[in-house]
Each structure stands twice: as C-alpha cells, then as structure tokens.
Amino acid sequence: MSNDAITNESETFEIGTTAVHRLGFGAMRLCGEDIIGAPDDEDDAREVVRHAVDCGIDFIDTADSYGPAVSEQLIGEAIGDRDDVLVATKAGLLRNDSGDWISHGDPDYIRNQVLTSLDRLRTDTIDLYQFHRPDDDTPFEDSVATFAQLKDEGLVHAVGISNVSAELLDRAREQVEVATVQNRYNLNDRGSREVLEICADDGIGFIPWAPIDADDLAEHGGLLDDIADEHDATRRQVALAWLLERADVMLPIPGTSDPAHLESNVAASHLSLSNETVQRLTEAAD
C-alpha cells in the first residue's frame, strides 16, 4: 500500500450529530467467499480497514450478518472505537451456510444482536444502527420501535432503516427519527427514486447499496467510457462521481478487500462532473 494515500475529498453530511465525508466504505467484502466465514488473510482485511481511514474515509458500513459476525469483528480489531470514524451496522437478517439471507425482525432478537455488535465493534454505543430488512413475520412498527428504544437507552446514537418503500419510511418516522435509509440504487437501478426524493427533501441520508456493479457498468458502458476518457478516469469512478452529484444526501459505500481498488474508489471523490454530464448520466436509465 502507498504511504502517500489518496485522500477523500467528498463533501460532508451529518448523520445524527456527526459530520462524515459522503464517500464511505462498505465492509461486506472483508468476509470470505459469498460473504460467509473469515477471509483467507485476516491481517490483510484489517489493514484494508485501517488504510480506508488513512485515506480519509470516516464512515464505515457493516452488518452483523456479514460473515456472519466476521466483518464487525475485523473492524473492531482494526480500529476499535475511534472518535473520528462513524461505524454503522445493521440487524434484522440471518445468514446460513447455504448463502440465504433470512429476514428476522423480532424485537428480542434485535435486542440480543445489539449486545453482540457492541462487543465485536469494541464500543459502548453504536454510531448508526440500521434495521436491515422488514420481516413479514414481525410487525414493522414493533421492529422499528425496538431500535427507537435502544436509542433512548443510549446503546445507539442514530437509527437507520434499509430496503424500505416510501410508505414504510413514513411509518418508521412515526416511531423514531430516521437518520439514514439504505436502499439499492445505482446508475442502472433507480427503483428507489421516490425514497431518494423524500430523503433529499427532508435531509435524511441515503446510502445506496450496490452503488456500482457489473450490470450497471455494462449497461451504460459506451457512455461511461466516453466520460471516463474525458476525465482520465475509470467507469467505476464516473459511476461513483455521478452518485455523489446526484443528491447532497447521497452516501455511497463502495466495498472492496483490495487496497488499490480502495484507493481507486476514493479517487472518484476528486472527479468534477459538469451539470450537463450529470444530466446525461441521470437520463441514461430514467
């Protein structure tokens, strides 16, 4: 890894009462293959986390189901409870060895999981605790109310929700102040456009999961290549830069386990896209 690491130049956004750079780091890929078990080299994984912080990333997103437990453990070991880094995690999904993601929003389960996450992250209070996905077997309000109670009890600073519709977002806001929403959104997938608009209007952070993927890049490859050539950049960097320009509340969290890939993602914060270029990309999938 370079000792002269590129720095995060994205603008800042307040999550709860904490200002973070809008370009963050998604820690799902720190785990083993298919997000199950430990990585081949845990020392390398911990070093990637530390390198992200060295590059100016002060917002890291993870979940108790990544591994499960592996990603949180590695982050806790790598950086502990730093005042200058906001670590967000999630509860509400189970993970089995077949690779299934199973919704589980039972209040007692969430209360148990917050304790395990606190232990693994080596902190007394989780900076941002997110409900990972609604559970058809548990009333949505009951799950969200549990997150609100954890905040009232001081175990959580801020509450977020994930994988929700506009209607569920409204219902959650009746239970607790929602600091962030984490939904799938990228250049090619605009399914959460309505939710993003609500977040932009009301100052709620919007964390796009899968901010870039192979389908996204391939679908608009020609346009991305043209813009990338103009900026001496890569397709991925252009896609990330577009997200940062798309809305002031947008908080992309590209993930990787490779230091060079990490630096390339951070370099996207240096790109300055014209309004015309942003519009061309915006209209590409609208």
Side-chain angles (χ1 to χ4, degrees):
M1 292 177 222
S2 169
N3 290 324
D4 299 318
I6 194 162
T7 57
N8 189 354
E9 294 189 3
S10 61
E11 296 178 349
T12 60
F13 179 85
E14 281 197 2
I15 297 177
T17 58
T18 303
V20 298
H21 286 86
R22 287 173 49 214
L23 182 67
F25 173 70
M28 184 173 72
R29 296 293 174 188
L30 296 179
C31 305
E33 187 176 357
D34 295 327
I35 324 303
I36 296 173
D40 291 338
D41 192 321
E42 294 187 22
D43 286 339
D44 282 353
R46 285 185 285 267
E47 188 56 34
V48 167
V49 177
R50 287 189 283 264
H51 191 50
V53 175
D54 289 342
C55 289
I57 288 176
D58 49 14
F59 174 44
I60 297 175
D61 178 82
T62 186
D64 60 10
S65 54
Y66 297 164
V70 171
S71 179
E72 288 184 329
Q73 186 74 36
L74 291 169
I75 292 168
E77 292 168 351
I79 61 172
D81 184 16
R82 291 181 56 144
D83 292 337
D84 58 346
V85 180
L86 187 152
V87 176
T89 192
K90 314 178 199 73
L93 277 185
L94 301 175
R95 183 77 163 143
N96 63 26
D97 56 9
S98 297
D100 300 317
W101 301 90
I102 304 165
S103 298
H104 192 55
D106 178 76
D108 287 337
Y109 173 75
I110 292 168
R111 282 194 162 275
N112 180 76
Q113 289 307 101
V114 76
L115 299 178
T116 62
S117 291
L118 286 165
D119 181 62
R120 287 189 289 261
L121 293 171
R122 304 188 178 192
T123 186
D124 295 324
T125 309
I126 291 174
D127 298 323
L128 173 64
Y129 203 39
Q130 304 160 91
F131 183 27
H132 207 152
R133 190 169 72 192
D135 174 11
D136 290 340
D137 295 326
T138 305
F140 182 70
E141 281 77 6
D142 290 355
S143 300
V144 174
T146 306
F147 282 81
Q149 291 161 8
L150 295 174
K151 180 181 178 183
D152 290 342
E153 293 165 14
L155 296 175
V156 172
H157 278 306
V159 171
I161 55 177
S162 183
N163 297 300
V164 295
S165 63
E167 187 244 338
L168 286 179
L169 173 56
D170 287 342
R171 286 164 57 184
R173 295 176 74 185
E174 294 176 359
Q175 300 282 326
V176 67
E177 181 180 359
V178 174
T180 59
V181 174
Q182 185 167 165
N183 278 13
R184 182 181 174 90
Y185 189 90
N186 55 46
L187 184 61
N188 197 45
D189 186 341
R190 316 286 181 82
S192 289
R193 182 188 293 106
E194 183 181 4
V195 175
L196 172 59
E197 290 173 355
I198 294 170
C199 290
D201 288 342
D202 294 346
I204 298 169
F206 185 92
I207 307 168
W209 63 264
I212 43 180
D213 61 26
D215 292 337
D216 172 20
L217 301 180
E219 181 69 20
H220 305 286
L223 175 58
L224 287 168
D225 285 341
D226 289 345
I227 297 170
D229 287 345
E230 294 171 7
H231 292 270
D232 191 24
T234 67
R235 287 183 179 183
R236 294 175 59 91
Q237 289 169 337
V238 172
L240 284 172
W242 172 77
L243 283 171
L244 289 168
E245 296 282 0
R246 182 69 180 84
D248 291 341
V249 299
M250 191 78 78
L251 306 165
I253 48 167
T256 182
S257 59
D258 179 76
H261 193 180
L262 169 67
E263 290 191 2
S264 178
N265 288 340
V266 174
S269 70
H270 295 219
L271 265 64
S272 179
L273 303 181
S274 68
N275 291 337
E276 179 185 1
T277 298
V278 171
Q279 189 63 25
R280 287 169 64 197
L281 290 164
T282 302
E283 292 175 351
D286 277 351

